[in-house]
Amino acid sequence: MSLEEKVVQPDGALSPEYGVGKAGDYATSSGSKESEENGDVYQTSDERRQIGVVSAVFLIFNRMVGTGVFSTPSSILALSGSVGLALFIWVAGMLIAAAGMAVYLEFGSGLPRNGGEKNYLEFVYTKPKYLVTGFYTGYVILLGWAGSNSVVFGEYILHAANVEVDRWNQRGIGLACITTAFLIHGCALKWGLRLQNFLGVIKLLILLVIIFAGFAALGGHLKVEKPNNFTNAFEGTTGSSYGVVTALYNVIWSYIGYSNANYAMSEMKNPVRTLKFAAPLGIISVGILYMLVNIAYFAAVSREEIASSGRILAASFFRNVFGPQAERALSVFVALSAFGNVLSVIFSQGRIVQELGREGILPFSAFFASSKPFNAPLAGLFEHWVVSVIIMLAPPPGDAYNFILNVISYPLAIVNVFVAGGLVHLYLNREKYNWHPPLRATLPVTIFFLLSNLYLTIAPYIPPDTPDQNIYETLPYYLHCVVGTGIILAGGVYWLVWAKLLPWLGGYKLHKETFVQRDGWTRSVFVKIKRA
């Protein structure tokens, strides 16, 4: 074996004989030991526990309610062909998201620490050692989730200012958006959480304005002719499997975020109780709001206008109900919603990168594991900022940019297959893993989530019925699936080189040491031990 593991109990400094620094560099600190199972010690600092139920709810709410519900209904209607089928697809996406929330709720209650899926996959898939961590590392490091909504932020700001949108002014404002989010969360943790909560309230108000305006539109209070979209609601249904699965992907993209609080559980006050209330409240409230917002859209905007409006559907809605001046003013609030999403995304992704640094998996792990100088994961946030900026600025408009966005979303289905499959395995081998978490998803719900994500993983390879259904103009319809899978496999290649090939060529084995830093958080390092 080229990998060994040794846990240094948090009662003293790491001995210098292992070549990872001076003995004085590492010391114990008061903190809370969160787990000590199967030789695993995980400890955190109590002073970092600043997230209560309200902040946890807004972590979930802000991640889910970004720009999806303001922009994707147009493509969902175009792909499904009818109002009725579009609404059914939104219901199906809500059920899948609710099942996913239950699965993550169980894992989060059983392994209440920062990192989310990384911890759950490592707990179940233990052999070969750290292979699953390698796969997950490729998924986390190479995908810039915050980039897409930063661009939409720029688009809505320009629309509100009545400025023509082009490639560079849109992305320039998006760059300012994501940079601001990075600096706030990296330099002022408490103020970042407060700003997230404030923007969450604004999002809620925007959705309520749309919903109540939709009720008024149903009564005929419009600046345009009433569209009557609910008459013959299923007229025009395409029945295309490719169209349905692509539309379902767009819905699920709008629900991504039900697991967002799981990435920061080490920073929660009473994490299990907090997650128990925050996750269901987040998914239920968002599910109800999404359905009512879609009904409002169909009450005020014609099918033709919805299908052609693209990412600024909400602006079309405001214009039809309130008039052009209100359209521009309310577009600013939609932009703020996008900014809230960017804050929430970079908050969680930065913590996943930090956990990979604490695990000792990444190059320059000490850099990524650090919480200096502002007691926040500045280095992890910076990594996600860099990747997101590249994704925003590098690809040209059109197919290349749409391809990048689809590459970001597809691998999540693969990850969820293994998360759900891992929980099924735990149900069947509960005593072997000593798996008795305080909250349960139940086996039927877990199997439903597993099958749903298997479908979402396989179905995009089914060719479209007609060429005009292809989401790209010139690229193969399946290209993002192949590249998304390749990104995950790239993490496996990294593991193969780091954990197997280099130790074999260098005649050493990797020895894992876990210790407690001065900031009260555990961290691991891998040191090279010469073979006898």
Side-chain angles (χ1 to χ4, degrees):
M1 293 293 292
S2 57
L3 283 171
E4 287 187 354
E5 201 167 330
K6 178 181 178 181
V7 177
V8 177
Q9 298 292 339
D11 57 2
L14 183 67
S15 169
E17 66 182 279
Y18 292 104
V20 294
K22 299 177 182 178
D25 291 343
Y26 313 105
T28 58
S29 173
S30 61
S32 58
K33 189 187 297 184
E34 296 190 355
S35 65
E36 189 170 352
E37 298 175 357
N38 302 321
D40 179 29
V41 173
Y42 187 85
Q43 182 167 309
T44 62
S45 171
D46 286 331
E47 65 183 24
R48 281 286 296 276
R49 294 189 179 277
Q50 302 180 32
I51 300 174
V53 173
V54 173
S55 292
V57 169
F58 279 119
L59 272 175
I60 297 168
F61 187 81
N62 272 316
R63 181 71 183 263
M64 282 197 284
V65 185
T67 57
V69 72
F70 303 117
S71 57
T72 58
S74 57
S75 60
I76 292 166
L77 177 62
L79 289 163
S80 60
S82 71
V83 172
L85 182 56
L87 291 175
F88 268 107
I89 290 172
W90 278 96
V91 172
M94 178 178 63
L95 293 175
I96 293 172
M101 179 274 298
V103 168
Y104 279 83
L105 192 61
E106 175 163 347
F107 266 126
S109 69
L111 299 167
R113 59 176 71 172
N114 280 15
E117 300 101 335
K118 169 193 168 294
N119 304 315
Y120 316 150
L121 296 171
E122 286 179 344
F123 185 79
V124 179
Y125 304 99
T126 57
K127 295 180 181 179
K129 208 165 197 50
Y130 300 110
L131 174 59
V132 72
T133 311
F135 286 137
Y136 189 69
T137 298
Y139 164 74
V140 170
I141 296 297
L142 299 177
L143 294 175
W145 290 83
S148 58
N149 276 335
S150 299
V151 171
V152 177
F153 172 85
E155 188 171 5
Y156 267 96
I157 287 291
L158 291 168
H159 184 80
N162 202 24
V163 175
E164 183 179 354
V165 177
D166 62 41
R167 174 182 177 182
W168 293 114
N169 63 8
Q170 177 191 37
R171 300 186 192 192
I173 295 174
L175 176 61
C177 168
I178 192 171
T179 302
T180 301
F182 157 62
L183 292 175
I184 288 173
H185 277 318
C187 303
L189 177 62
K190 287 185 178 180
W191 283 105
L193 289 171
R194 289 167 183 164
L195 181 59
Q196 277 187 180
N197 294 348
F198 173 71
L199 292 175
V201 172
I202 288 180
K203 288 185 186 188
L204 179 59
L205 293 175
I206 296 169
L207 294 178
L208 291 176
V209 167
I210 293 175
I211 290 167
F212 286 114
F215 288 142
L218 286 172
H221 298 283
L222 288 166
K223 302 293 183 180
V224 296
E225 184 179 349
K226 190 174 180 180
N228 295 315
N229 285 326
F230 297 106
T231 304
N232 299 321
F234 287 92
E235 181 182 353
T237 299
T238 61
S240 163
S241 58
Y242 178 83
V244 169
V245 74
T246 306
L248 187 58
Y249 253 108
N250 285 331
V251 172
I252 290 174
W253 173 258
S254 300
Y255 274 105
I256 286 177
Y258 53 79
S259 61
N260 204 41
N262 290 61
Y263 302 121
M265 291 197 69
S266 297
E267 299 172 55
M268 287 183 185
K269 305 168 185 175
N270 197 344
V272 174
R273 179 182 178 277
T274 298
L275 190 67
K276 177 182 178 180
F277 287 103
L281 183 58
I283 194 75
I284 291 170
S285 60
V286 169
I288 293 172
L289 291 169
Y290 276 3
M291 290 305 301
L292 293 176
V293 166
N294 273 276
I295 291 171
Y297 287 150
F298 291 128
V301 187
S302 68
R303 297 187 195 188
E304 295 74 21
E305 190 176 359
I306 291 174
S308 63
S309 62
R311 290 195 294 258
I312 57 170
L313 171 59
S316 300
F317 173 85
F318 293 142
R319 181 181 63 251
N320 289 1
V321 177
F322 300 109
Q325 295 302 318
E327 171 196 358
R328 292 173 58 186
L330 289 169
S331 292
V332 174
F333 289 99
V334 177
L336 290 176
S337 174
F339 181 49
N341 177 267
V342 172
L343 279 167
S344 184
V345 169
I346 201 169
F347 178 91
S348 58
Q349 294 301 117
R351 278 150 180 79
I352 300 174
V353 175
Q354 185 182 50
E355 284 302 307
L356 290 170
R358 287 201 183 107
E359 189 72 39
I361 298 294
L362 298 178
F364 313 107
S365 285
F367 172 72
F368 289 110
S370 175
S371 294
K372 297 178 180 178
F374 302 109
N375 201 27
L378 185 63
L381 293 165
F382 176 72
E383 188 281 333
H384 192 72
W385 177 85
V386 169
V387 176
S388 297
V389 168
I390 292 172
I391 284 175
M392 274 198 304
L393 301 182
D399 273 357
Y401 191 72
N402 293 332
F403 164 74
I404 291 292
L405 298 185
N406 289 322
V407 164
I408 291 173
S409 59
Y410 178 77
L412 179 61
I414 299 176
V415 171
N416 280 336
V417 165
F418 285 93
V419 169
L423 189 54
V424 171
H425 180 69
L426 289 179
Y427 277 127
L428 300 178
N429 300 272
R430 191 181 299 279
E431 297 306 321
K432 175 184 174 182
Y433 287 87
N434 191 25
W435 184 247
H436 302 286
L439 304 175
R440 302 287 176 85
T442 74
L443 184 59
V445 169
T446 306
I447 291 175
F448 169 71
F449 187 58
L450 171 62
L451 295 177
S452 299
N453 281 281
L454 278 172
Y455 174 72
L456 292 171
T457 302
I458 297 168
Y461 285 99
I462 300 172
D465 297 336
T466 58
D468 63 313
Q469 289 182 343
N470 190 348
I471 55 177
Y472 306 117
E473 293 181 6
T474 57
L475 298 176
Y477 68 91
Y478 54 81
L479 185 61
H480 62 279
C481 305
V482 174
V483 174
T485 304
I487 285 173
I488 293 178
L489 293 178
V493 173
Y494 169 73
W495 170 86
L496 186 64
V497 172
W498 164 73
K500 296 296 180 182
L501 183 60
L502 291 180
W504 178 69
L505 292 174
Y508 63 84
K509 55 186 176 182
L510 292 173
H511 188 87
K512 182 180 178 182
E513 292 283 357
T514 301
F515 56 90
V516 183
Q517 302 178 115
R518 288 193 180 279
D519 63 3
W521 288 61
T522 47
R523 180 175 158 246
S524 299
V525 294
F526 287 92
V527 294
K528 299 174 184 179
I529 305 296
K530 280 290 183 182
R531 294 184 182 275

Short mmCIF file of all heavy atoms in Angstrom, two decimals, residues 435-469:
data_model
loop_
_atom_site.label_atom_id
_atom_site.label_comp_id
_atom_site.label_asym_id
_atom_site.label_seq_id
_atom_site.Cartn_x
_atom_site.Cartn_y
_atom_site.Cartn_z
N TRP A 435 -24.06 3.08 11.25
CA TRP A 435 -24.76 4.24 10.70
C TRP A 435 -26.13 4.39 11.36
O TRP A 435 -27.08 3.71 11.02
CB TRP A 435 -24.93 4.07 9.18
CG TRP A 435 -25.57 5.27 8.52
CD1 TRP A 435 -26.78 5.33 7.93
CD2 TRP A 435 -24.99 6.57 8.38
NE1 TRP A 435 -27.02 6.58 7.44
CE2 TRP A 435 -25.93 7.38 7.70
CE3 TRP A 435 -23.77 7.14 8.77
CZ2 TRP A 435 -25.69 8.72 7.40
CZ3 TRP A 435 -23.53 8.47 8.47
CH2 TRP A 435 -24.48 9.24 7.79
N HIS A 436 -26.19 5.29 12.34
CA HIS A 436 -27.45 5.54 13.06
C HIS A 436 -27.64 7.05 13.23
O HIS A 436 -27.61 7.56 14.37
CB HIS A 436 -27.44 4.83 14.41
CG HIS A 436 -27.24 3.35 14.31
ND1 HIS A 436 -28.23 2.49 13.87
CD2 HIS A 436 -26.13 2.57 14.55
CE1 HIS A 436 -27.77 1.25 13.87
NE2 HIS A 436 -26.50 1.27 14.28
N PRO A 437 -27.83 7.79 12.15
CA PRO A 437 -27.97 9.25 12.24
C PRO A 437 -29.30 9.63 12.87
O PRO A 437 -30.27 8.86 12.84
CB PRO A 437 -27.91 9.69 10.78
CG PRO A 437 -28.45 8.53 10.02
CD PRO A 437 -27.99 7.31 10.76
N PRO A 438 -29.39 10.82 13.43
CA PRO A 438 -30.64 11.24 14.09
C PRO A 438 -31.78 11.52 13.11
O PRO A 438 -32.94 11.48 13.50
CB PRO A 438 -30.23 12.52 14.83
CG PRO A 438 -29.00 12.99 14.15
CD PRO A 438 -28.29 11.78 13.64
N LEU A 439 -31.47 11.78 11.84
CA LEU A 439 -32.50 12.07 10.84
C LEU A 439 -32.40 11.06 9.71
O LEU A 439 -31.31 10.67 9.31
CB LEU A 439 -32.34 13.49 10.29
CG LEU A 439 -32.36 14.62 11.33
CD1 LEU A 439 -32.07 15.96 10.67
CD2 LEU A 439 -33.70 14.67 12.06
N ARG A 440 -33.55 10.63 9.18
CA ARG A 440 -33.58 9.58 8.15
C ARG A 440 -34.30 10.06 6.89
O ARG A 440 -35.36 10.70 6.98
CB ARG A 440 -34.29 8.34 8.68
CG ARG A 440 -33.69 7.74 9.94
CD ARG A 440 -32.37 7.03 9.64
NE ARG A 440 -31.75 6.53 10.86
CZ ARG A 440 -32.03 5.36 11.43
NH1 ARG A 440 -32.98 4.60 10.91
NH2 ARG A 440 -31.41 4.97 12.53
N ALA A 441 -33.78 9.67 5.74
CA ALA A 441 -34.45 9.96 4.47
C ALA A 441 -35.47 8.88 4.13
O ALA A 441 -36.45 9.16 3.43
CB ALA A 441 -33.42 10.07 3.35
N THR A 442 -35.25 7.65 4.58
CA THR A 442 -35.97 6.41 4.28
C THR A 442 -35.48 5.82 2.96
O THR A 442 -35.09 6.55 2.04
CB THR A 442 -37.51 6.55 4.23
OG1 THR A 442 -37.89 7.23 3.03
CG2 THR A 442 -38.04 7.27 5.47
N LEU A 443 -35.52 4.51 2.87
CA LEU A 443 -35.01 3.80 1.69
C LEU A 443 -35.80 4.13 0.42
O LEU A 443 -35.19 4.37 -0.64
CB LEU A 443 -35.01 2.29 1.96
CG LEU A 443 -34.40 1.42 0.85
CD1 LEU A 443 -32.96 1.81 0.59
CD2 LEU A 443 -34.50 -0.06 1.23
N PRO A 444 -37.15 4.16 0.43
CA PRO A 444 -37.88 4.48 -0.81
C PRO A 444 -37.52 5.86 -1.37
O PRO A 444 -37.36 6.02 -2.58
CB PRO A 444 -39.35 4.42 -0.38
CG PRO A 444 -39.37 3.51 0.80
CD PRO A 444 -38.08 3.77 1.51
N VAL A 445 -37.41 6.86 -0.51
CA VAL A 445 -37.05 8.21 -0.97
C VAL A 445 -35.65 8.21 -1.57
O VAL A 445 -35.39 8.83 -2.61
CB VAL A 445 -37.16 9.21 0.18
CG1 VAL A 445 -36.55 10.56 -0.20
CG2 VAL A 445 -38.61 9.39 0.60
N THR A 446 -34.73 7.52 -0.92
CA THR A 446 -33.35 7.45 -1.42
C THR A 446 -33.28 6.77 -2.77
O THR A 446 -32.56 7.22 -3.67
CB THR A 446 -32.46 6.73 -0.40
OG1 THR A 446 -32.59 7.34 0.88
CG2 THR A 446 -31.01 6.76 -0.83
N ILE A 447 -34.03 5.67 -2.93
CA ILE A 447 -34.05 4.96 -4.21
C ILE A 447 -34.65 5.84 -5.31
O ILE A 447 -34.17 5.87 -6.45
CB ILE A 447 -34.80 3.63 -4.08
CG1 ILE A 447 -33.99 2.65 -3.22
CG2 ILE A 447 -35.09 3.03 -5.46
CD1 ILE A 447 -34.70 1.35 -2.93
N PHE A 448 -35.70 6.60 -4.97
CA PHE A 448 -36.29 7.53 -5.94
C PHE A 448 -35.27 8.57 -6.38
O PHE A 448 -35.14 8.87 -7.59
CB PHE A 448 -37.52 8.21 -5.33
CG PHE A 448 -38.05 9.37 -6.14
CD1 PHE A 448 -38.69 9.14 -7.35
CD2 PHE A 448 -37.89 10.67 -5.71
CE1 PHE A 448 -39.17 10.20 -8.12
CE2 PHE A 448 -38.36 11.74 -6.45
CZ PHE A 448 -39.01 11.50 -7.67
N PHE A 449 -34.51 9.12 -5.46
CA PHE A 449 -33.48 10.11 -5.79
C PHE A 449 -32.38 9.47 -6.63
O PHE A 449 -31.88 10.08 -7.60
CB PHE A 449 -32.90 10.69 -4.51
CG PHE A 449 -31.96 11.84 -4.72
CD1 PHE A 449 -32.36 12.98 -5.39
CD2 PHE A 449 -30.65 11.77 -4.25
CE1 PHE A 449 -31.48 14.04 -5.58
CE2 PHE A 449 -29.77 12.83 -4.43
CZ PHE A 449 -30.19 13.96 -5.11
N LEU A 450 -32.02 8.23 -6.31
CA LEU A 450 -31.00 7.51 -7.08
C LEU A 450 -31.46 7.30 -8.52
O LEU A 450 -30.72 7.60 -9.47
CB LEU A 450 -30.70 6.17 -6.40
CG LEU A 450 -29.80 5.19 -7.19
CD1 LEU A 450 -28.43 5.80 -7.42
CD2 LEU A 450 -29.70 3.86 -6.45
N LEU A 451 -32.67 6.80 -8.69
CA LEU A 451 -33.19 6.52 -10.04
C LEU A 451 -33.36 7.81 -10.84
O LEU A 451 -33.10 7.84 -12.05
CB LEU A 451 -34.51 5.76 -9.95
CG LEU A 451 -34.44 4.35 -9.35
CD1 LEU A 451 -35.83 3.73 -9.25
CD2 LEU A 451 -33.52 3.46 -10.18
N SER A 452 -33.80 8.87 -10.17
CA SER A 452 -33.97 10.16 -10.85
C SER A 452 -32.64 10.65 -11.41
O SER A 452 -32.56 11.11 -12.56
CB SER A 452 -34.53 11.20 -9.88
OG SER A 452 -35.78 10.81 -9.38
N ASN A 453 -31.58 10.53 -10.63
CA ASN A 453 -30.29 11.02 -11.10
C ASN A 453 -29.63 10.07 -12.10
O ASN A 453 -28.87 10.51 -12.96
CB ASN A 453 -29.37 11.26 -9.89
CG ASN A 453 -29.69 12.57 -9.20
OD1 ASN A 453 -29.29 13.64 -9.65
ND2 ASN A 453 -30.44 12.49 -8.11
N LEU A 454 -29.94 8.78 -12.00
CA LEU A 454 -29.50 7.87 -13.07
C LEU A 454 -30.13 8.28 -14.40
O LEU A 454 -29.46 8.30 -15.44
CB LEU A 454 -29.89 6.43 -12.72
CG LEU A 454 -28.97 5.67 -11.77
CD1 LEU A 454 -29.59 4.34 -11.37
CD2 LEU A 454 -27.60 5.44 -12.44
N TYR A 455 -31.41 8.62 -14.36
CA TYR A 455 -32.09 9.07 -15.57
C TYR A 455 -31.46 10.36 -16.10
O TYR A 455 -31.20 10.50 -17.30
CB TYR A 455 -33.57 9.30 -15.26
CG TYR A 455 -34.36 9.90 -16.40
CD1 TYR A 455 -34.67 9.15 -17.53
CD2 TYR A 455 -34.80 11.22 -16.35
CE1 TYR A 455 -35.38 9.69 -18.58
CE2 TYR A 455 -35.51 11.78 -17.39
CZ TYR A 455 -35.81 11.01 -18.50
OH TYR A 455 -36.51 11.56 -19.54
N LEU A 456 -31.17 11.29 -15.18
CA LEU A 456 -30.58 12.56 -15.59
C LEU A 456 -29.15 12.38 -16.10
O LEU A 456 -28.65 13.21 -16.87
CB LEU A 456 -30.58 13.53 -14.42
CG LEU A 456 -31.96 14.03 -13.97
CD1 LEU A 456 -31.84 14.80 -12.66
CD2 LEU A 456 -32.58 14.90 -15.05
N THR A 457 -28.50 11.30 -15.71
CA THR A 457 -27.15 11.02 -16.18
C THR A 457 -27.15 10.38 -17.56
O THR A 457 -26.32 10.70 -18.41
CB THR A 457 -26.42 10.09 -15.18
OG1 THR A 457 -26.39 10.71 -13.90
CG2 THR A 457 -25.00 9.80 -15.63
N ILE A 458 -28.12 9.50 -17.80
CA ILE A 458 -28.14 8.72 -19.04
C ILE A 458 -28.93 9.41 -20.15
O ILE A 458 -28.52 9.42 -21.32
CB ILE A 458 -28.74 7.32 -18.76
CG1 ILE A 458 -27.84 6.56 -17.79
CG2 ILE A 458 -28.90 6.54 -20.05
CD1 ILE A 458 -28.48 5.29 -17.24
N ALA A 459 -30.07 10.02 -19.80
CA ALA A 459 -30.98 10.55 -20.81
C ALA A 459 -30.37 11.60 -21.73
O ALA A 459 -30.75 11.66 -22.91
CB ALA A 459 -32.24 11.10 -20.13
N PRO A 460 -29.46 12.46 -21.27
CA PRO A 460 -28.90 13.45 -22.20
C PRO A 460 -28.14 12.86 -23.38
O PRO A 460 -27.86 13.57 -24.35
CB PRO A 460 -27.95 14.27 -21.31
CG PRO A 460 -28.53 14.16 -19.95
CD PRO A 460 -29.06 12.75 -19.88
N TYR A 461 -27.82 11.57 -23.31
CA TYR A 461 -27.16 10.93 -24.45
C TYR A 461 -28.17 10.50 -25.53
O TYR A 461 -27.77 10.11 -26.63
CB TYR A 461 -26.36 9.72 -23.98
CG TYR A 461 -25.08 10.07 -23.27
CD1 TYR A 461 -25.02 10.08 -21.88
CD2 TYR A 461 -23.93 10.40 -23.98
CE1 TYR A 461 -23.84 10.41 -21.22
CE2 TYR A 461 -22.75 10.73 -23.32
CZ TYR A 461 -22.72 10.73 -21.95
OH TYR A 461 -21.55 11.05 -21.31
N ILE A 462 -29.46 10.52 -25.19
CA ILE A 462 -30.49 10.17 -26.18
C ILE A 462 -30.58 11.30 -27.20
O ILE A 462 -30.77 12.46 -26.83
CB ILE A 462 -31.85 9.95 -25.50
CG1 ILE A 462 -31.75 8.82 -24.47
CG2 ILE A 462 -32.93 9.66 -26.53
CD1 ILE A 462 -33.00 8.66 -23.63
N PRO A 463 -30.44 11.01 -28.49
CA PRO A 463 -30.42 12.09 -29.50
C PRO A 463 -31.76 12.79 -29.60
O PRO A 463 -32.82 12.19 -29.37
CB PRO A 463 -30.07 11.35 -30.80
CG PRO A 463 -30.47 9.93 -30.56
CD PRO A 463 -30.27 9.68 -29.11
N PRO A 464 -31.75 14.09 -29.93
CA PRO A 464 -33.00 14.82 -30.12
C PRO A 464 -33.78 14.29 -31.31
O PRO A 464 -33.20 13.74 -32.26
CB PRO A 464 -32.54 16.26 -30.36
CG PRO A 464 -31.12 16.14 -30.80
CD PRO A 464 -30.57 14.93 -30.14
N ASP A 465 -35.10 14.43 -31.26
CA ASP A 465 -35.95 13.93 -32.34
C ASP A 465 -35.74 14.69 -33.64
O ASP A 465 -35.83 14.12 -34.72
CB ASP A 465 -37.42 14.01 -31.91
CG ASP A 465 -37.72 13.14 -30.70
OD1 ASP A 465 -36.97 12.17 -30.49
OD2 ASP A 465 -38.68 13.44 -29.96
N THR A 466 -35.50 15.98 -33.53
CA THR A 466 -35.28 16.81 -34.71
C THR A 466 -34.06 17.69 -34.48
O THR A 466 -33.74 18.02 -33.33
CB THR A 466 -36.50 17.70 -35.00
OG1 THR A 466 -36.77 18.52 -33.86
CG2 THR A 466 -37.73 16.85 -35.30
N PRO A 467 -33.36 18.11 -35.53
CA PRO A 467 -32.16 18.93 -35.35
C PRO A 467 -32.42 20.24 -34.61
O PRO A 467 -31.55 20.74 -33.90
CB PRO A 467 -31.71 19.20 -36.80
CG PRO A 467 -32.27 18.07 -37.59
CD PRO A 467 -33.58 17.73 -36.94
N ASP A 468 -33.62 20.82 -34.76
CA ASP A 468 -33.88 22.10 -34.12
C ASP A 468 -34.03 21.99 -32.60
O ASP A 468 -34.05 23.00 -31.91
CB ASP A 468 -35.13 22.75 -34.71
CG ASP A 468 -36.39 21.93 -34.46
OD1 ASP A 468 -36.34 20.70 -34.69
OD2 ASP A 468 -37.41 22.51 -34.03
N GLN A 469 -34.12 20.75 -32.08
CA GLN A 469 -34.19 20.56 -30.63
C GLN A 469 -32.82 20.53 -29.98
O GLN A 469 -32.71 20.58 -28.75
CB GLN A 469 -34.94 19.26 -30.30
CG GLN A 469 -36.42 19.31 -30.59
CD GLN A 469 -37.11 18.02 -30.20
OE1 GLN A 469 -36.47 17.00 -30.00
NE2 GLN A 469 -38.42 18.06 -30.07
#
